[in-house]
C-alpha cells in the first residue's frame, strides 16, 4: 500500500547572507565615466541581457555588443575594437575555449591582447584549466556577483592600459 519514512536533521536556523543592493553594483572607479566597448559572447539571451544591464549600470557611456556563439564573436572582433570580451565557455558552433584560442593566435595583433574574462557555470577543474590555457585573463563562475564582476573588469582594463 505504501511506506512512510521520517528523519530528523540537527540543523540550526541562520540568517541569510547579505545581498548586494542594485545601487551597490559598482563603486565609482577610475574608469566609471569612460565610454568602454564590451563584447558579450553567450548563447543564452537572458545571460547576455543580464551582463548588458550590469555593464551599462556600471559604465553608462559604454557600448555592449552581444554574440550568441564564438563564430559571431570573432566576426564582431574583426569589425571593431573592444576594451574587453566576456566569454561563456559552453556555446554552440564554436565554444569559448576555441574562440579564446582563436583570438590569441589568429586575430590581428591589435586585438590579440584584448582582455578576455571567462564566465562559466562549469566547475570541472579540467575544463576550467583548458579554458584558462586557451588565453583567458581571468575566469568568474556563474552565477556571478555584479560587484566582483565589475571589479575584475576594471582591473583587467587598467592592467591592459598600463602594459
Amino acid at each position: 500500500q505504501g511506506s512512510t519514512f521520517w528523519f530528523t536533521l540537527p540543523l540550526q536556523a541562520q540568517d541569510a547572507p547579505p545581498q548586494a543592493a542594485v545601487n551597490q553594483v559598482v563603486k565609482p572607479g577610475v574608469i566609471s565615466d569612460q565610454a568602454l566597448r564590451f563584447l558579450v559572447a553567450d548563447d543564452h539571451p537572458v545571460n547576455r541581457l543580464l551582463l548588458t544591464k550590469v555593464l551599462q549600470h556600471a559604465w553608462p557611456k559604454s557600448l555592449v555588443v552581444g554574440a550568441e556563439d564564438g563564430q559571431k564573436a570573432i566576426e564582431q572582433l574583426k569589425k571593431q575594437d573592444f576594451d574587453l570580451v566576456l566569454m561563456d565557455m559552453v556555446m554552440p558552433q564554436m565554444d569559448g575555449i576555441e574562440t579564446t584560442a582563436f583570438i590569441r593566435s589568429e586575430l590581428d595583433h591589435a586585438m590579440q591582447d584584448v582582455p578576455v574574462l571567462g564566465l562559466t557555470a562549469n566547475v570541472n577543474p579540467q575544463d576550467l584549466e583548458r579554458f584558462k590555457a586557451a588565453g583567458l585573463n581571468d575566469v568568474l563562475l556563474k552565477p556571478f556577483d555584479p560587484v566582483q564582476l565589475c571589479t575584475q573588469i576594471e582591473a583587467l582594463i587598467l592592467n591592459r592600459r598600463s602594459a
Side-chain angles (χ1 to χ4, degrees):
Q1 296 291 330
S3 301
T4 302
F5 299 91
W6 68 92
F7 59 92
T8 304
L9 294 175
L11 302 176
Q12 295 180 359
Q14 298 289 323
D15 291 333
Q19 298 289 324
V22 174
N23 62 355
Q24 293 177 321
V25 169
V26 86
K27 299 170 269 191
V30 177
I31 60 172
S32 63
D33 65 339
Q34 296 183 12
L36 300 171
R37 295 161 312 213
F38 297 104
L39 175 60
V40 176
D42 196 305
D43 57 322
H44 293 288
V46 172
N47 290 346
R48 287 193 309 272
L49 178 63
L50 175 62
L51 284 164
T52 298
K53 294 296 184 190
V54 170
L55 294 170
Q56 289 177 336
H57 180 78
W59 295 280
K61 298 177 185 176
S62 66
L63 168 70
V64 182
V65 175
E68 55 268 1
D69 61 52
Q71 189 61 47
K72 288 186 176 59
I74 289 169
E75 290 170 13
Q76 289 296 330
L77 285 161
K78 288 179 177 179
K79 287 181 191 176
Q80 62 183 312
D81 292 341
F82 290 94
D83 294 296
L84 187 124
V85 177
L86 294 109
M87 183 75 66
D88 185 25
M89 180 166 57
V90 180
M91 296 182 287
Q93 307 299 324
M94 188 176 201
D95 69 19
I97 297 170
E98 295 171 286
T99 307
T100 303
F102 186 93
I103 290 168
R104 297 301 185 221
S105 64
E106 303 295 326
L107 287 182
D108 65 40
H109 187 65
M111 282 311 295
Q112 283 185 356
D113 70 339
V114 64
V116 178
L117 176 60
L119 297 171
T120 184
N122 187 338
V123 295
N124 180 312
Q126 291 85 9
D127 290 342
L128 288 173
E129 190 52 45
R130 284 184 33 241
F131 200 15
K132 291 175 188 174
L136 289 182
N137 295 85
D138 209 346
V139 67
L140 188 61
L141 295 177
K142 296 176 185 176
F144 61 84
D145 171 42
V147 173
Q148 183 182 5
L149 174 73
C150 293
T151 300
Q152 282 183 268
I153 288 171
E154 187 161 290
L156 289 171
I157 290 172
L158 289 173
N159 187 44
R160 180 184 189 197
R161 290 180 180 176
S162 67

